[in-house]
Amino acid sequence: MTVLIAFLANILVAIAKTVAAAITASASMVAEAAHSWADAGNEVFLILAERRGAKPKDERHPFGYGRNAFVYSLIAAFGIFTAGAIVSIMHGIQQLGKDEPVEQPIVAYIVLAIAFVLEGASFTQAFLRSRSIAHERGSSTWDFVLDTSDTTLRAVFFEDAAALIGILIAAGSILLHQVTGQAVWDAVGSILIGVLLAIVALMLIRRNVAFLVGSSLPPAVRARAGRALLQLEDVSRVTYLHLEFVGPHRLFLVAEVDLAGDDREHDVARRLRDIERRIKEHENIETAVLSLSVEDEPSLTFE
C-alpha cells in the first residue's frame, strides 16, 4: 500500500513538474521533473519487488523468492542514479553559462507547493509505518529504516525525503534567480538536486547489495533469536547460530544445539526435526536447519 501511494503521488507530481518546467524554462524545475519521473519509474520496480518476493518457495527455490525484492530494489536505486541524479547534474552544468529569465515563476511555486503536499503525504505514510515498527522493536526510526530488510519501505522513505528536500532546493533556487537576476542560482539548484539524488541512490544501492551478498543482522535481533531458541523445552544450550536474510522479514536459520537428556540416535534426530518444524512456524523463518553440538564447544550467550 505504501508503494502504491508513492507511485500515484509521483505520477501526478511528475506531470505537473514537466508542464511547469516547459512554461518556466527553469533548470531546477527540469531537474525536479526528471526526479519525479525517475521516482515514478522506480515505484514500478518496487511493486515488482513486493510481488515477486512474496512468491512461496518451491523445489527449485528452497529459500523462496524473497531475494527478488533486493534485486528489483537495486534496479530501482540505479534508476534514481541514472535517470535522476545524472540528468539533473548534467542539465545544471549545461545551464551554468546561460542567462535566461524564469518565465512565470508563480507557476513553478504553485506546482512545487502542490508537489510538497503530495510527497509529504506519501512520506508521512512511510514515516508513521517505520516509527510504529521501530517502536515495537525498541529501536529508533532512523536505525530501523537503515537496517530493515523491508527494502521497499526503505526506498519509499528515502525517495520521499529526498523529494521534499529537492522541492525546497528548487523553490529556493528559483527565488534566488528572481531576486538576484542571476540564472546561475537556478543551474546550481539543478546540480544540488542531482547530488542529493546521487547520495540517496548510492545509499540504497549499498544496502541492497549488502542484503544480496549476506548482511549480518543487528545484534539485538540475533540475541532475540538466540533467547527464543534457549526457551524451547528441548534445547539446553546453543553453540552456533547463523541467521541470514533471504527476503524482506524472511530468515534462514542454522544452529548447533545441545538437547536435554541422552536419547538414542534416532530419537534425537526426531526431536531435532520437531524443533525445526516449530521454529519454521514463526512468521519470519523461511528455513531452519539444526545439528547437534559437541560437548567441548562453548555455549553462546544472548544478552
Side-chain angles (χ1 to χ4, degrees):
M1 187 62 179
T2 302
V3 180
L4 286 174
I5 291 174
F7 174 71
L8 293 174
N10 280 320
I11 286 291
L12 293 174
V13 169
I15 294 172
K17 286 180 180 177
T18 301
V19 174
I23 294 174
T24 63
S26 165
S28 294
M29 284 305 301
V30 172
E32 276 297 288
H35 178 180
S36 292
W37 281 117
D39 282 354
N42 293 340
E43 302 304 338
V44 175
F45 287 109
L46 294 180
I47 292 171
L48 286 173
E50 285 193 337
R51 294 186 176 180
R52 297 288 178 86
K55 292 174 61 177
K57 60 184 178 181
D58 52 36
E59 291 184 1
R60 294 186 61 187
H61 298 84
F63 295 153
Y65 291 80
R67 284 196 174 99
N68 271 326
F70 304 136
V71 172
Y72 282 102
S73 295
L74 181 63
I75 295 172
F78 273 111
I80 297 174
F81 188 79
T82 55
I86 294 178
V87 169
S88 299
I89 292 173
M90 292 302 297
H91 183 70
I93 292 174
Q94 291 171 357
Q95 295 297 313
L96 280 175
K98 299 182 179 180
D99 192 20
E100 299 175 356
V102 175
E103 302 291 341
Q104 303 183 48
I106 188 63
V107 174
Y109 294 137
I110 292 173
V111 169
L112 290 174
I114 294 172
F116 195 88
V117 172
L118 293 174
E119 297 284 7
S122 179
F123 176 75
T124 299
Q125 169 80 8
F127 176 80
L128 291 177
R129 182 181 173 191
S130 300
R131 187 177 67 176
S132 175
I133 299 174
H135 179 73
E136 292 176 1
R137 300 181 181 180
S139 171
S140 69
T141 303
W142 179 256
D143 288 340
F144 166 75
V145 173
L146 285 178
D147 294 334
T148 182
S149 61
D150 190 340
T151 183
T152 55
L153 177 59
R154 176 172 46 251
V156 171
F157 184 98
F158 281 106
E159 284 180 15
D160 288 343
L164 292 173
I165 297 172
I167 289 170
L168 295 177
I169 292 174
S173 299
I174 294 171
L175 180 61
L176 285 172
H177 186 175
Q178 273 190 280
V179 172
T180 65
Q182 300 294 320
V184 65
W185 291 111
D186 201 13
V188 168
S190 179
I191 295 171
L192 289 177
I193 291 169
V195 171
L196 171 67
L197 292 178
I199 292 172
V200 171
L202 291 174
M203 185 276 295
L204 293 176
I205 289 170
R206 179 174 176 272
R207 293 305 297 148
N208 282 297
V209 168
F211 281 107
L212 283 170
V213 300
S215 176
S216 61
L217 273 72
V221 177
R222 188 174 186 277
R224 190 159 60 244
R227 289 194 297 268
L229 279 175
L230 290 172
Q231 288 173 359
L232 294 172
E233 182 179 354
D234 291 331
V235 177
S236 61
R237 66 193 187 103
V238 178
T239 60
Y240 175 81
L241 177 62
H242 171 78
L243 291 164
E244 181 180 337
F245 281 111
V246 293
H249 309 300
R250 306 298 295 172
L251 289 166
F252 170 45
L253 181 149
V254 180
E256 291 180 3
V257 300
D258 192 4
L259 298 183
D262 191 20
D263 289 345
R264 292 174 298 178
E265 183 177 343
H266 72 276
D267 292 328
V268 170
R270 186 162 47 247
R271 289 172 64 189
L272 279 178
R273 296 299 172 267
D274 181 62
I275 295 171
E276 287 178 354
R277 179 185 54 77
R278 280 183 281 166
I279 292 173
K280 284 187 282 189
E281 289 175 354
H282 191 282
E283 61 180 357
N284 297 127
I285 302 297
E286 187 70 46
T287 301
V289 177
L290 300 182
S291 60
L292 292 176
S293 302
V294 178
E295 288 183 359
D296 58 356
E297 290 178 331
S299 302
L300 299 179
T301 57
F302 306 99
E303 299 178 357

